[in-house]
Amino acid sequence: MDTALYVGLAQRTALRRRLDVVAHNVANMSTTAFNKERVVFRQYLVDTPGAAATTGGKISYVLDHGVVRNLDVGTPVTTNNPLDIFISKGGYLSVESRNGETLYTRNGRMRLDTDNFITLLSGERVLDVDGNPIQLENGDTRVDIADDGTISGELGVVAQLSISSFANEQSLKRVGTSLYEAEQDPIDPADAPLIGIIQKAYESSNVNAIESTVEMIDVLRTYQNAEQRAKDITDLREDALRRLSRVQ
């Protein structure tokens, strides 16, 4: 009976983890360029207590193996901001964090700061292909961004956006809602897939509101059923102990 309780506890722990991830997805349905996530579980086998080695009795537990991102590109949302960009396929915009570290994002919502540097709305400065923050000239009132990331103003070409691709996007580590750090080097631009940029648009979250809400309800109901089974097992144990205590 203890085995059944332990297996049930492992199941409920896994369901809580899955519920947390689904709830996080739902909370970020409106977050720019957010990638929904799912938990990956693995089977963990242990020998059955008291079973002979020759019988091969095993107990199957569930083990939290990690979280993977859904890399589908979100829907482009049209805006009137000339600094907003939508990046097709798997490209990532290079930005500089406040501590000088290079981070990557698909969040193309940008603005100018007080020094005329192009930044994300969260303040990170956008980098050019040489790794330098992009600063517009004073007096530039019109900004054009070509599909290859070339930025032009009234005074001519300013810079080209640094758009990076990675061989294994799943290895990028999330450091914010839409910012990532990379332990691997980006793919050489000559070998990278062709990436296009659309000006005056940004990428929406790829979370499907209806699917995620239904999944949350399903996980919650499964968790409640698992809790009820655990309660039933505990009640059976207590009833058995009461009966044994009355045996003379």
Side-chain angles (χ1 to χ4, degrees):
M1 195 173 294
D2 283 341
T3 297
L5 289 174
Y6 292 147
V7 171
L9 178 60
Q11 180 194 21
R12 296 198 303 279
T13 300
L15 287 169
R16 283 186 64 94
R17 171 68 167 144
R18 185 180 171 195
L19 185 61
D20 288 342
V21 171
V22 175
H24 185 248
N25 289 339
V26 172
N28 285 281
M29 287 189 298
S30 300
T31 300
T32 304
F34 178 82
N35 292 129
K36 65 181 178 181
E37 299 175 330
R38 65 180 177 88
V39 186
V40 176
F41 297 106
R42 294 181 63 184
Q43 181 177 245
Y44 181 68
L45 298 176
V46 299
D47 293 329
T48 304
T54 56
T55 63
K58 297 286 185 181
I59 300 174
S60 175
Y61 292 94
V62 62
L63 181 66
D64 183 355
H65 184 62
V67 175
V68 296
R69 291 184 292 128
N70 182 308
L71 299 176
D72 292 342
V73 178
T75 304
V77 179
T78 303
T79 72
N80 291 319
N81 180 11
L83 290 176
D84 285 343
I85 61 167
F86 172 84
I87 307 170
S88 68
K89 300 184 180 179
Y92 290 80
L93 190 65
S94 302
V95 299
E96 183 181 68
S97 68
R98 290 177 174 81
N99 61 8
E101 181 185 7
T102 298
L103 300 177
Y104 302 91
T105 183
R106 288 188 55 80
N107 182 351
R109 301 191 72 181
M110 300 184 289
R111 62 179 177 86
L112 290 178
D113 66 10
T114 54
D115 296 317
N116 258 23
F117 283 100
I118 299 178
T119 72
L120 300 182
L121 298 185
S122 51
E124 293 79 10
R125 288 181 172 176
V126 177
L127 301 178
D128 63 15
V129 290
D130 295 320
N132 300 314
I134 300 175
Q135 185 179 30
L136 297 185
E137 296 287 343
N138 290 328
D140 266 340
T141 58
R142 190 190 76 247
V143 177
D144 294 318
I145 303 178
D147 58 5
D148 66 349
T150 299
I151 301 175
S152 302
E154 291 183 348
L155 304 179
V157 174
V158 177
Q160 185 176 6
L161 293 170
S162 175
I163 307 294
S164 301
S165 298
F166 296 90
N168 181 11
E169 293 182 54
Q170 293 290 352
S171 68
L172 297 177
K173 181 180 178 182
R174 190 191 297 275
V175 292
T177 53
S178 59
L179 290 171
Y180 302 91
E181 62 181 10
E183 296 180 353
Q184 59 179 308
D185 292 329
I187 299 174
D188 187 290
D191 301 322
L194 184 63
I195 294 171
I197 292 175
I198 300 174
Q199 188 180 16
K200 294 185 179 181
Y202 65 86
E203 181 182 350
S204 67
S205 166
N206 67 2
V207 177
N208 184 296
I210 296 177
E211 287 182 358
S212 296
T213 303
V214 170
E215 183 181 7
M216 179 183 290
I217 294 172
D218 181 61
V219 174
L220 183 59
R221 286 177 176 171
T222 304
Y223 183 86
Q224 291 170 339
N225 291 336
E227 274 198 325
Q228 184 60 50
R229 287 196 297 271
K231 182 179 182 301
D232 292 342
I233 293 173
T234 301
D235 291 343
L236 286 172
R237 166 184 265 183
E238 292 176 351
D239 183 62
L241 291 174
R242 283 195 298 269
R243 290 173 181 271
L244 286 173
S245 66
R246 292 197 295 266
V247 175
Q248 301 298 325

